[in-house]
Amino acid sequence: MARRGAAALALALALLAVVLAGVGAQGAALQAPDYYVQETWSREPYYARREPEPEPFSPPLPAGTGDGEREREPRPPEPRPPKKATKPKKAPKRDKLAPETPPPGKNSNRKGVRTKSSEKAANDDHSVPVARGDVSKGCPPLGLETLKITDFQLHASTSKRYGLGAHRGRLNIQAGINENDFYDGAWCAGRNDLHQWIEVDARRLTKFTGVITQGRNSLWLSDWVTSYKVMVSNDSHTWVTVKNGSGDMIFEGNSEKEIPVLNELPIPMVARYIRINPRSWFDNGSICMRMEILGCPLPDPNNYYHRRNEMTTTDDLDFKHHNYKEMRQLMKVVNEMCPNITRIYNIGKSHQGLKLYAVEISDHPGEHEVGEPEFHYIAGAHGNEVLGRELTLLLMQFLCQEYLARNARIVRLVEETRIHILPSLNPDGYEKAYEGGSELGGWSLGRWTHDGIDINNNFPDLNTLLWEAEDRQNIPRKVPNHYIAIPEWFLSENATVAVETRAVIAWMEKIPFVLGGNLQGGELVVAYPYDMVRSLWKTQEPSPTPDDHVFRWLAYSYASTHRLMTDARRRVCHTEDFQKEDGTVNGASWHTVAGSLNDFSYLHTNCFELSIYVGCDKYPHESELPEEWENNRESLIVFMEQVHRGIKGVVRDFHGKGIPNAIISVEGVNHDIRTASDGDYWRLLNPGEYVVTAKAEGFTSSTKNCMVGYDMGATQCDFTLSKTNLARIREIMEKFGKQPISLPARRLKLRGRKRRQRG
């Protein structure tokens, strides 16, 4: 018996030692977490990582996928449940003009809308230490909205039909004009029960930190999810539900279908898969949702596929979102870096009194040089389409830096072109979108001006004036085919015209722009005029201009050099597939717009204007800006270079003085242009031989054959006009203080005198 007691005591002591050793090993694991878990994803190489961070919670890996230490890690206690569910609450507003730079990976203006339950749970104590900064700093979106997450990475339990499949469950995706087709506005479950789910395969270990949801985009139906659970997995078979105390945590969803709602996870969850399980939905609707997942992909130095496909840039630029104050500061920095080639000016003020700043880049800023074409980029007409705004700010930095580095291509462009960049035409709208942030602003917040006007459709409708005159055969006597006058009603103070629109019109009338691009967002395509259909009662119809062949080339020059626009493998942003025309489209064949900037520029000025839609996501996360810059950089430069295609020259009199407002006509093209104040002109044309005529009031016309080659650089085609006999007589009479005599009137006087004498 004594021996048995001693043996039992020895066995008990041995078991106690094993238990203590296990506890020590687990504690060591918490102090020195696994490399793949401790480091959040960053743009830095894996070998340049920072100090280890406390380990977030991770579900158990399936057998064979991890080491033994990972499998033995304990799961932390679940957070305590909240007292009661509450409605989503917006975080306090922060100073919009705060100049502080956000930490790496943080969207400087993303404001969380999260439930009180998640906030409370985040404050609870846990056995696994998680730095408070991990939750507050947040992670960028995985890329459902930007299409980084492919259709093959989205799965769902059921769906009503293909057009409402999991691949349509992307934040801010828009439904087509005809609903119930292949392009609908959400994922909708095939049945309304508690067993439905939609999941994302991140394809690598990811630290998930939050979920953003919306309802279905629909004009006729009201469908959204009001609450849901979140689950994660490493193998898509074993799932761990986010807990709230002793039970599953229920996140509050949407209360309507368009405003995005963010729920941050109480602690980060490291896994490969994340699943959303709806628990309740709008009473009169169905289970339908759009979503975005916030997460930091963890770096894996052994995975060549991910390292090869991660986008990097070598350009040392300021990749961040800039509010109004920061935008002005950046312009000032660029001007101070390159004072000899830059000038800052403003073209007017917004409704709220914010100045509409522009930057001029030229070897002689502030003056128009004879023979040098003028080009412009405009961005931010829709305040919430901010990618164009940031691309133009990056472009002005890039041009300055490359000019200082004596990049031959950029030096030639700057010295031979007068470039104007207007990064924010609607700063009032941008400030509204900036408050919401890149993920939570929705599809339309900040789109319009402060007084509710869409600038892009706010210009005078000159198309109707032209087409009605053509139908009455009043061309060209009563209505010319170019420089069509703005209607008087539009110029009145009572007209519904934004002050920003009036400022742009005055700007374009003052500067003889040759080519321009207005950067927009929400799609990936280049649209060229006309933007308005000619037939009545139609919403879509090809409406080509007389320069359709030139506009097609200009659009293709941008699209073909963009990294994604002409990629036939890429997924459509929302409903339209523009690959049949290589990433370009005639605006009216897409959707009709009366009073667009493109049509106004073409019919009222010499400028050939195109709309460039630079991304599916109107307001991408800050972490996406380097990649978007790489996508668009070459296109932005190539498009500017097209201002040097066609013919150019000066129209002079016999004394060598330039003739302003001389009309330049090209045989076979029913659209003329006019010379600038110094008599110089630029006419965009594709390669070929053209018969060109110059004419001006009081001068005899002159015609030449002008050849346009394939090499870059416009063909010089000058004209010298002689005055008509009547013009010479008038000039002589005015010189001596007398008015020229009208011969018909003199004959009538002589006849009247003879009649009186006979009588």
Side-chain angles (χ1 to χ4, degrees):
M1 293 297 293
R3 289 181 180 179
R4 289 181 181 179
L9 180 60
L11 178 60
L13 291 173
L15 290 174
L16 179 61
V18 170
V19 171
L20 292 175
V23 172
Q26 292 168 1
L30 295 179
Q31 295 298 324
D34 182 72
Y35 163 75
Y36 296 99
V37 180
Q38 70 180 353
E39 181 184 25
T40 59
W41 179 87
S42 70
R43 294 185 56 80
E44 298 180 351
Y46 67 91
Y47 50 79
R49 58 184 183 270
R50 300 180 180 83
E51 291 298 320
E53 299 176 359
E55 179 183 15
F57 172 75
S58 173
L61 290 169
T65 60
D67 55 36
E69 289 296 324
R70 171 64 69 87
E71 292 177 3
R72 289 195 298 270
E73 288 178 5
R75 196 164 66 192
E78 299 159 346
R80 293 190 297 272
K83 293 182 179 178
K84 62 177 181 178
T86 56
K87 292 183 178 180
K89 178 181 178 182
K90 291 187 177 180
K93 291 185 179 180
R94 64 177 191 80
D95 185 4
K96 291 186 289 185
L97 301 182
E100 296 180 2
T101 303
K106 173 183 169 66
N107 179 4
S108 62
N109 54 6
R110 181 171 64 80
K111 299 176 63 176
V113 177
R114 43 181 190 166
T115 60
K116 288 183 179 178
S117 58
S118 63
E119 291 176 350
K120 183 180 186 301
N123 291 324
D124 290 342
D125 294 330
H126 307 286
S127 62
V128 178
V130 179
R132 180 65 184 168
D134 282 357
V135 176
S136 62
K137 183 165 69 173
C139 286
L142 290 188
L144 275 75
E145 185 175 4
T146 61
L147 306 184
K148 266 191 169 183
I149 297 296
T150 68
D151 290 352
F152 300 105
Q153 293 174 258
L154 297 171
H155 309 279
S157 52
T158 60
S159 60
K160 285 189 174 181
R161 50 184 171 77
Y162 177 78
L164 292 168
H167 65 290
R168 302 296 295 176
R170 301 172 182 271
L171 194 72
N172 286 320
I173 202 166
Q174 301 295 293
I177 297 176
N178 302 313
E179 292 188 27
N180 299 320
D181 58 10
F182 287 134
Y183 302 107
D184 228 319
W187 161 69
C188 290
R191 300 184 300 273
N192 291 335
D193 58 45
L194 300 180
H195 303 291
Q196 305 306 309
W197 48 262
I198 180 173
E199 72 181 36
V200 180
D201 176 6
R203 289 184 174 169
R204 60 195 291 186
L205 283 179
T206 302
K207 184 175 76 170
F208 299 115
T209 61
V211 177
I212 303 172
T213 59
Q214 277 176 315
R216 177 179 178 178
N217 175 249
S218 172
L219 293 174
W220 319 110
L221 301 173
S222 297
D223 298 317
W224 60 82
V225 171
T226 56
S227 67
Y228 58 88
K229 291 181 182 180
V230 176
M231 296 176 281
V232 295
S233 172
N234 285 304
D235 60 0
S236 77
H237 296 290
T238 303
W239 293 89
V240 174
T241 304
V242 176
K243 298 293 182 179
N244 188 11
S246 59
D248 296 344
M249 186 169 185
I250 304 296
F251 294 91
E252 287 207 52
N254 301 85
S255 57
E256 58 89 68
K257 55 189 173 185
E258 287 299 335
I259 299 178
V261 174
L262 164 67
N263 278 294
E264 292 184 339
L265 304 186
I267 56 174
M269 308 286 282
V270 175
R272 171 174 169 173
Y273 300 88
I274 185 168
R275 176 180 286 186
I276 309 301
N277 169 221
R279 308 306 296 172
S280 63
W281 45 94
F282 181 57
D283 290 341
N284 298 321
S286 303
I287 297 178
C288 296
M289 65 188 308
R290 295 173 284 170
M291 67 177 186
E292 180 64 85
I293 304 297
L294 305 183
C296 299
L298 302 183
D300 183 355
N302 299 316
N303 193 326
Y304 172 73
Y305 173 81
H306 290 302
R307 286 186 287 126
R308 180 188 63 184
N309 287 278
E310 286 179 352
M311 173 58 62
T312 58
T313 181
T314 58
D315 296 327
D316 184 19
L317 306 175
D318 189 17
F319 293 107
K320 61 168 289 186
H321 288 297
H322 299 80
N323 61 23
Y324 183 75
K325 180 179 178 181
E326 292 165 341
M327 181 187 72
R328 289 185 305 168
Q329 291 173 342
L330 181 60
M331 289 180 170
K332 185 178 179 182
V333 169
V334 172
N335 179 242
E336 291 173 349
M337 285 179 59
C338 299
N340 295 330
I341 63 167
T342 61
R343 178 177 71 99
I344 303 174
Y345 65 100
N346 73 82
I347 68 169
K349 291 184 178 181
S350 70
H351 187 275
Q352 292 288 85
L354 300 178
K355 293 182 179 179
L356 307 178
Y357 285 106
V359 170
E360 176 192 341
I361 302 176
S362 170
D363 57 341
H364 291 90
E367 61 179 280
H368 170 72
E369 298 180 67
V370 176
E372 186 171 293
E374 311 232 10
F375 175 94
H376 73 248
Y377 273 129
I378 299 174
H382 295 149
N384 64 330
E385 295 170 8
V386 306
L387 178 55
R389 170 190 176 114
E390 296 305 327
L391 288 175
T392 54
L393 293 176
L394 292 168
L395 178 64
M396 64 178 68
Q397 297 174 65
F398 179 80
L399 293 176
C400 172
Q401 291 181 6
E402 295 301 303
Y403 184 86
L404 294 177
R406 306 311 294 172
N407 180 325
R409 182 187 185 189
I410 301 302
V411 170
R412 181 171 60 253
L413 182 64
V414 170
E415 293 182 349
E416 296 179 0
T417 319
R418 192 181 181 203
I419 303 167
H420 303 258
I421 299 176
L422 179 65
S424 185
L425 178 56
N426 182 9
D428 297 348
Y430 175 81
E431 292 302 302
K432 292 180 182 178
Y434 186 84
E435 289 183 19
S438 64
E439 285 79 56
L440 301 176
W443 186 252
S444 61
L445 178 65
R447 175 184 176 91
W448 301 279
T449 63
H450 186 76
D451 47 346
I453 297 176
D454 186 339
I455 297 177
N456 195 52
N457 311 339
N458 194 223
F459 292 84
D461 172 16
L462 305 181
N463 305 59
T464 301
L465 296 177
L466 174 66
W467 294 335
E468 287 179 351
E470 288 180 346
D471 293 339
R472 294 193 306 265
Q473 297 183 348
N474 287 338
I475 297 297
R477 179 171 297 178
K478 291 187 177 181
V479 177
N481 65 7
H482 70 294
Y483 271 47
I484 300 174
I486 298 176
E488 291 187 7
W489 66 264
F490 188 89
L491 301 175
S492 67
E493 294 184 359
N494 296 328
T496 307
V497 182
V499 293
E500 296 88 347
T501 305
R502 297 189 189 277
V504 170
I505 291 175
W507 184 47
M508 300 191 72
E509 290 178 336
K510 180 180 179 181
I511 299 177
F513 291 117
V514 180
L515 178 62
N518 57 89
L519 305 187
Q520 301 189 43
E523 264 297 348
L524 203 56
V525 68
V526 182
Y528 53 89
Y530 290 121
D531 289 333
M532 181 179 176
V533 297
R534 184 160 185 168
S535 301
L536 296 175
W537 317 116
K538 284 191 176 182
T539 59
Q540 291 178 304
E541 178 189 49
S543 297
T545 66
D547 284 289
D548 187 61
H549 56 297
V550 178
F551 275 115
R552 285 176 179 271
W553 167 255
L554 293 172
Y556 184 71
S557 70
Y558 193 101
S560 62
T561 50
H562 190 280
R563 289 184 62 252
L564 298 175
M565 274 191 191
T566 55
D567 186 353
R569 299 169 300 174
R570 75 172 181 87
R571 183 194 184 283
V572 298
C573 291
H574 299 282
T575 63
E576 301 284 347
D577 185 359
F578 299 108
Q579 293 307 310
K580 58 182 178 294
E581 292 189 38
D582 294 318
T584 69
V585 66
N586 172 255
S589 67
W590 182 12
H591 56 265
T592 185
V593 172
S596 73
L597 174 58
N598 294 348
D599 292 1
F600 169 79
S601 299
Y602 183 69
L603 296 177
H604 185 69
T605 74
N606 287 340
C607 186
F608 283 41
E609 185 92 15
L610 291 85
S611 293
I612 303 170
Y613 294 80
V614 292
C616 303
D617 188 351
K618 291 184 176 185
Y619 198 151
H621 189 271
E622 227 167 53
S623 60
E624 300 290 334
L625 294 180
E627 181 171 352
E628 293 294 353
W629 167 247
E630 289 294 322
N631 290 342
N632 289 275
R633 178 184 58 192
E634 180 66 15
S635 302
L636 290 167
I637 297 171
V638 167
F639 187 70
M640 285 192 289
E641 292 173 334
Q642 304 313 305
V643 77
H644 295 284
R645 290 205 177 269
I647 61 175
K648 67 177 181 179
V650 182
V651 180
R652 301 183 177 90
D653 60 19
F654 268 103
H655 301 290
K657 183 179 179 182
I659 303 174
N661 289 319
I663 298 174
I664 306 297
S665 301
V666 178
E667 187 177 273
V669 182
N670 187 27
H671 181 79
D672 303 334
I673 64 163
R674 299 197 181 194
T675 58
S677 58
D678 296 313
D680 48 348
Y681 76 91
W682 306 263
R683 183 45 162 108
L684 297 178
L685 293 168
N686 286 345
E689 186 175 351
Y690 299 92
V691 178
V692 184
T693 301
K695 54 188 176 182
E697 185 177 355
F699 294 86
T700 57
S701 61
S702 175
T703 301
K704 285 186 176 181
N705 287 346
C706 301
M707 177 68 71
V708 178
Y710 288 89
D711 295 335
M712 185 62 69
T715 301
Q716 192 76 26
C717 201
D718 297 329
F719 294 88
T720 301
L721 305 184
S722 59
K723 292 188 176 181
T724 62
N725 291 334
L726 181 58
R728 288 199 193 101
I729 293 173
R730 286 177 175 171
E731 186 177 299
I732 294 171
M733 298 297 288
E734 289 176 358
K735 184 176 181 180
F736 293 98
K738 297 181 179 180
Q739 296 295 325
I741 299 173
S742 174
L743 294 180
R746 182 171 178 77
R747 287 175 187 157
L748 289 175
K749 286 183 180 180
L750 290 175
R751 288 176 185 173
R753 187 181 299 172
K754 288 179 180 179
R755 290 195 191 103
R756 286 194 298 271
Q757 289 176 353
R758 290 173 185 171

